[in-house]
Amino acid sequence: MNQAKGKRIIAEMVRELNREGRMKNSRNFIQHGSTSVYKHSVRVAYYSLLAAEFFHLDAHRKELVRGALLHDYFLYDWHEKNKSHNLHGFRHPFTALRNANADYKLTEREQNIILRHMFPLVPIPPVCVEGWIVCMVDKGCSLYETMQGKM
């Protein structure tokens, strides 16, 4: 898959998620550094697709992209001082899954991607290759976004 095709797949899925739910609201929240949750999620989806191709992994592409786009669908600003945001790293996969289930019909694989992307902070690992891809790519993107402009 070339880069243009990967970007088209993601753009199509983002349009679908914007029509059906609150995906566009994730533009209003910062994830790491100055990167919005929306931009972070799109980046994770894109690099997850590239990783699946590069490593010749037998991944379900649509579920990989949807799970990656929704993995941080928690829809709040975790930087705000608020008791409910304590332990965000441990809790947000559960909030993201609850929000995603409220807005979309998710497959078991998509649910697993969302719920287990914070392994090992969430101690139960993903059970599908797509979950492992998003888990690892998310960590790389998070590091990049956090360190951007600091080196």
Side-chain angles (χ1 to χ4, degrees), residues 107-117 125-128 131:
T107 67
E108 286 184 34
R109 185 175 282 114
E110 291 163 348
Q111 291 180 47
N112 187 259
I113 293 167
I114 296 165
L115 193 57
R116 303 297 174 213
H117 79 273
V127 296
C128 57

Side-chain angles (χ1 to χ4, degrees), residues 83-92:
K83 189 175 181 179
S84 70
H85 301 168
N86 290 351
L87 301 174
H88 168 78
F90 296 92
R91 294 180 178 170
H92 81 269

Side-chain angles (χ1 to χ4, degrees), residues 14-146:
V14 166
R15 280 191 297 275
E16 180 181 310
L17 294 175
N18 281 334
R19 275 192 314 271
E20 296 175 13
R22 298 172 283 170
M23 180 72 183
K24 61 184 149 275
N25 292 359
S26 65
R27 292 177 187 262
N28 301 324
F29 307 113
I30 295 297
Q31 180 62 314
H32 309 108
S34 62
T35 304
S36 70
V37 173
Y38 177 87
K39 188 171 184 177
H40 167 75
S41 298
V42 169
R43 182 177 279 139
V44 171
Y46 177 72
Y47 285 107
S48 292
L49 270 179
L50 288 185
E53 288 295 320
F54 181 81
F55 292 109
H56 306 286
L57 300 172
D58 186 24
H60 294 85
R61 300 302 194 257
K62 181 178 178 182
E63 290 171 297
L64 174 66
V65 170
R66 277 176 57 99
L69 289 171
L70 296 171
H71 80 280
D72 280 339
Y73 196 64
F74 46 84
L75 303 174
Y76 61 81
D77 183 354
W78 65 271
H79 300 92
E80 289 179 354
K81 298 293 182 204
N82 183 318
K83 189 175 181 179
S84 70
H85 301 168
N86 290 351
L87 301 174
H88 168 78
F90 296 92
R91 294 180 178 170
H92 81 269
F94 301 95
T95 304
L97 180 60
R98 185 178 61 247
N99 289 339
N101 272 326
D103 290 356
Y104 309 104
K105 180 165 176 41
L106 301 176
T107 67
E108 286 184 34
R109 185 175 282 114
E110 291 163 348
Q111 291 180 47
N112 187 259
I113 293 167
I114 296 165
L115 193 57
R116 303 297 174 213
H117 79 273
M118 286 301 290
F119 179 78
L121 282 181
V122 174
I124 302 170
V127 296
C128 57
V129 67
E130 297 83 1
W132 279 106
I133 294 168
V134 171
C135 182
M136 302 313 278
V137 169
D138 178 49
K139 285 156 181 54
C141 290
S142 298
L143 179 63
Y144 170 76
E145 293 160 5
T146 300

